[in-house]
Amino acid sequence: MDVRRAGERYRGGDPATGIESLHAFSFGPHYDPGNLRFGAVIACNEERLAPGAGFTEHPHSHTEIVTWVVEGELTHRDSQGHESVVRSGDVQRLSAGGGVRHVERNDGAAPLVFIQMWLAPAEPGGDPAYEVVHGIADSTPYAVPEAGAMLHVRRLTAGERTAVPDAAFAYVHVVRGEVRLDSVVLTDGDSARIGDAKGLELEAGAEGPAEVLVWEMAAVD
């Protein structure tokens, strides 16, 4: 188990334009050959956008992009004609396929915080696709079969436990709150990369609720 603390993430974005980014993996100018991916996950970015701020139209290809909105409202528009407002508790997925362009903005009046995770598909190419699951229920897994992955969203009450899926690769990201994983305490923004996960549990701290994203991933060919 490889634990990465929130403070170790790479700082990015453009604070002058209202964009602050924290990157868990090599991203943009932050290149670390030893931190390119874990399982299918190639990026886990925490994005904070001030009202009116956003990312202008930009391209993606051969990537599964999964977004979890923590607070605020994310406006999405893409070159396939999709336009959505994604809110706290919603899961958004953009399958870039052979190529797609999109815009991400905070058109609301309040600050926006979201976690965006990029996964490498087993096979490149294909047609772009888009979907939003509004208000996904706790413990309902969200499948990304193109990447051999499953996202588990857990909102734990104080002292509540949940199993980490037994998997070739498990990636745990704490959105907020405190949890104990085995003998390790994780807090806001901390993550753990677990190979051959078996019999592990997460337990929320006694001080209050916690929100955790857990990726369950198959072996990479």
Side-chain angles (χ1 to χ4, degrees), residues 34-167:
N35 190 25
L36 299 178
R37 68 185 291 170
F38 179 75
V41 178
I42 56 176
C44 181
N45 304 331
E46 179 181 316
E47 306 287 0
R48 295 178 176 267
L49 274 58
F55 300 100
T56 57
E57 187 174 81
H58 56 281
H60 290 283
S61 60
H62 318 306
T63 312
E64 299 294 317
I65 303 171
V66 178
T67 303
W68 172 255
V69 175
V70 180
E71 57 186 58
E73 298 181 348
L74 170 65
T75 297
H76 164 96
R77 293 188 294 273
D78 66 44
S79 55
Q80 298 293 300
H82 303 110
E83 183 167 349
S84 299
V85 176
V86 189
R87 298 178 173 87
S88 177
D90 296 344
V91 172
Q92 172 188 260
R93 176 161 65 114
L94 176 64
S95 296
V100 69
R101 301 180 68 85
H102 75 152
V103 175
E104 297 168 299
R105 290 190 53 80
N106 178 8
D107 289 332
L112 167 65
V113 181
F114 62 93
I115 308 297
Q116 189 167 91
M117 298 153 287
W118 297 10
L119 288 80
E123 299 291 338
D127 296 327
Y130 177 79
E131 72 172 349
V132 179
V133 177
H134 295 288
I136 191 166
D138 185 49
S139 298
T140 301
Y142 180 79
V144 185
E146 294 83 353
M150 191 92 69
L151 176 63
H152 302 264
V153 178
R154 289 308 324 267
R155 306 173 186 93
L156 303 173
T157 58
E160 185 180 358
R161 296 186 178 191
T162 187
V164 174
D166 293 347

Side-chain angles (χ1 to χ4, degrees), residues 131-214:
E131 72 172 349
V132 179
V133 177
H134 295 288
I136 191 166
D138 185 49
S139 298
T140 301
Y142 180 79
V144 185
E146 294 83 353
M150 191 92 69
L151 176 63
H152 302 264
V153 178
R154 289 308 324 267
R155 306 173 186 93
L156 303 173
T157 58
E160 185 180 358
R161 296 186 178 191
T162 187
V164 174
D166 293 347
F169 298 94
Y171 183 79
V172 175
H173 177 86
V174 180
V175 177
R176 50 190 160 195
E178 179 182 293
V179 297
R180 181 178 295 276
L181 173 60
D182 198 12
S183 60
V184 179
V185 174
L186 306 174
T187 60
D188 300 21
D190 291 347
S191 62
R193 308 173 189 191
I194 308 162
D196 295 322
K198 289 183 176 65
L200 292 174
E201 280 190 331
L202 288 164
E203 181 181 359
E207 298 302 316
E211 187 171 281
V212 187
L213 305 176
V214 181

Side-chain angles (χ1 to χ4, degrees), residues 1-2 4 12 16 31-32 89 107 123 129 133 146 176 205 221:
M1 183 165 62
D2 180 7
R4 306 288 179 110
Y31 178 71
D32 178 355
D107 289 332
E123 299 291 338
V133 177
E146 294 83 353
R176 50 190 160 195
D221 292 332

